[in-house]
Amino acid sequence: MENVLRPLIVIGAAVVVTLAIGWLADRLLRRVDARNPQTPLWGLLRRCRIPLQCVLLIALLRGTYREMKVLEDHEAGIGQVLTLLLIGSCAWLVVRIAAAVVESTYARYAARSHDPARLRRVRTQVSLIMRVVTAVVGVVAAAAMLLTFPAMRTVGTSMLASAGVLGIVAGIAAQSTLGNLFAGFQIAFGDMVRLGDTVVVDGEWGTVDEITLTFLTVRTWDERRITMPVSYFTSKPFENWSRGGAQMTGTVFFHLDHSAPVHEMRQKLHDILRECKAWDGRDWGLAVTDTTPTTIQVRALATAKDADDIWTVRVTVREQLIGWLADNHPYALPRIMTSFAAPHPNGSADHSAPDGSSPRTGRG
């Protein structure tokens, strides 16, 4: 009977102590959060309750499993498993705490800042910092787990002895990966491109949707996702429409007849823009920018607060102004003038007459 009650008592006591400490920590954080609503850190730390309880439970079991007197022949194996679980749960707790601290810092910064471009830059840096922290903690935890095995310690010593050769080989083999990795840091802290920026890459217009240490994802206007290595943005030119502010100026070009009523078009453009909610009212205009023997080129100009709104303004102006010309001034639309070819004066070429008969020919 004692062999059954002993492990139940030890495990039950460990579970009760773990739940009690987790509950007390949660209540304490909740009270502190209620007293300091301007600091979101305490509320975010409540997410660490589950990993904290895992660490406490595994640590208690690791320290008391010998008292259970269960599977004594496998005592070393059980201790090894508990040690690995303890290292993994500690890494989980550290990542959660780091995430809470980073998110709290960003939230406090976002509450004080009113510059959308600066917020996008900080959000990009925060996301990459969290990825670096997670990767470092994961590598350290994996190394700690491996070092708990005596055989791996010998392997580790041998690897350190040949670290120079392995470093050269790894550097050559992972040159592309390391290049993308350092490019990711350059993008994050060099403020080249940020989450939410509107960019044009390889002729595709879209919004930066995700940035990691190795790749960047652009979401196009038709909801496609273009994934590109971050090294592309450090080695090739690209358009960033969000640099220097999100405000944009858009143009619409019309090819019209020389008789087009430009003055009335200018007034109609102003009427269209005043009814368009996407126009921000900063600037507008209409001018003849070029001419050819058969048409003139008219440019309509308007402004908007961002790339999405400038697209709406451009399509609205194009559609309504063409419709207005077709309904009220159809003569202003470009036309192709055709006529029958005149006979050659020397009659050296065979030209067909309009009725299909051959014209007369003669000698000069």
Side-chain angles (χ1 to χ4, degrees), residues 254-260 288 290-298 330-338:
F254 301 91
H255 293 274
L256 305 176
D257 189 79
H258 288 85
S259 60
V288 178
D290 198 4
T291 181
T292 69
T294 56
T295 62
I296 60 174
Q297 184 184 71
V298 179
Y331 60 87
L333 299 177
R335 293 168 290 177
I336 299 177
M337 306 299 294
T338 60

Side-chain angles (χ1 to χ4, degrees), residues 8 88 114 144 194 255 328:
L8 291 178
H114 302 286
R194 300 154 297 195
H255 293 274
N328 299 276

Side-chain angles (χ1 to χ4, degrees), residues 195 248 269:
L195 289 172
M248 297 194 66
L269 172 64

Side-chain angles (χ1 to χ4, degrees), residues 15-26 49 52-53 56 60:
V15 172
V16 170
V17 171
T18 299
L19 294 176
I21 295 177
W23 180 79
L24 289 174
D26 186 68
R49 178 179 178 179
L52 174 63
Q53 290 177 329
L56 292 174
L60 290 172

Side-chain angles (χ1 to χ4, degrees), residues 187 192-193 201 216 218 228-236 238:
I187 285 178
M192 298 176 60
V193 62
V201 290
L216 185 147
V218 176
M228 311 182 70
V230 292
S231 59
Y232 175 92
F233 294 86
T234 59
S235 59
K236 297 182 180 181
F238 65 95

Side-chain angles (χ1 to χ4, degrees), residues 155-179:
V155 174
T157 304
S158 302
M159 291 178 63
L160 288 175
S162 58
V165 177
L166 290 176
I168 296 175
V169 174
I172 296 175
Q175 184 177 3
S176 177
T177 302
L178 292 176

Side-chain angles (χ1 to χ4, degrees), residues 339-347 349-354 359-360:
S339 63
F340 295 112
H344 194 278
N346 296 328
D350 185 13
H351 297 275
S352 298
R360 292 179 299 174

Side-chain angles (χ1 to χ4, degrees), residues 154-311:
T154 305
V155 174
T157 304
S158 302
M159 291 178 63
L160 288 175
S162 58
V165 177
L166 290 176
I168 296 175
V169 174
I172 296 175
Q175 184 177 3
S176 177
T177 302
L178 292 176
N180 283 328
L181 183 64
F182 287 111
F185 283 110
Q186 186 176 352
I187 285 178
F189 298 99
D191 197 25
M192 298 176 60
V193 62
R194 300 154 297 195
L195 289 172
D197 279 3
T198 301
V199 297
V200 179
V201 290
D202 283 345
E204 294 283 353
W205 176 88
T207 304
V208 178
D209 193 49
E210 183 181 7
I211 299 178
T212 69
L213 291 176
T214 55
F215 68 88
L216 185 147
T217 303
V218 176
R219 185 182 74 251
T220 61
W221 64 272
D222 54 356
E223 300 299 328
R224 290 181 293 117
R225 300 297 193 276
I226 302 176
T227 302
M228 311 182 70
V230 292
S231 59
Y232 175 92
F233 294 86
T234 59
S235 59
K236 297 182 180 181
F238 65 95
E239 296 182 29
N240 190 339
W241 291 5
S242 301
R243 293 286 298 182
Q247 297 176 344
M248 297 194 66
T249 300
T251 57
V252 180
F253 289 93
F254 301 91
H255 293 274
L256 305 176
D257 189 79
H258 288 85
S259 60
V262 177
H263 181 68
E264 295 181 25
M265 287 181 62
R266 189 175 292 113
Q267 295 178 344
K268 181 61 179 179
L269 172 64
H270 197 195
D271 295 338
I272 294 173
L273 292 176
R274 281 184 295 188
E275 296 178 0
C276 181
K277 296 181 179 180
W279 181 52
D280 62 1
R282 288 188 298 116
D283 194 12
W284 70 281
L286 187 140
V288 178
T289 57
D290 198 4
T291 181
T292 69
T294 56
T295 62
I296 60 174
Q297 184 184 71
V298 179
R299 185 196 67 186
L301 178 146
T303 58
K305 64 180 181 64
D306 54 32
D308 291 335
D309 281 356
I310 200 64
W311 172 265

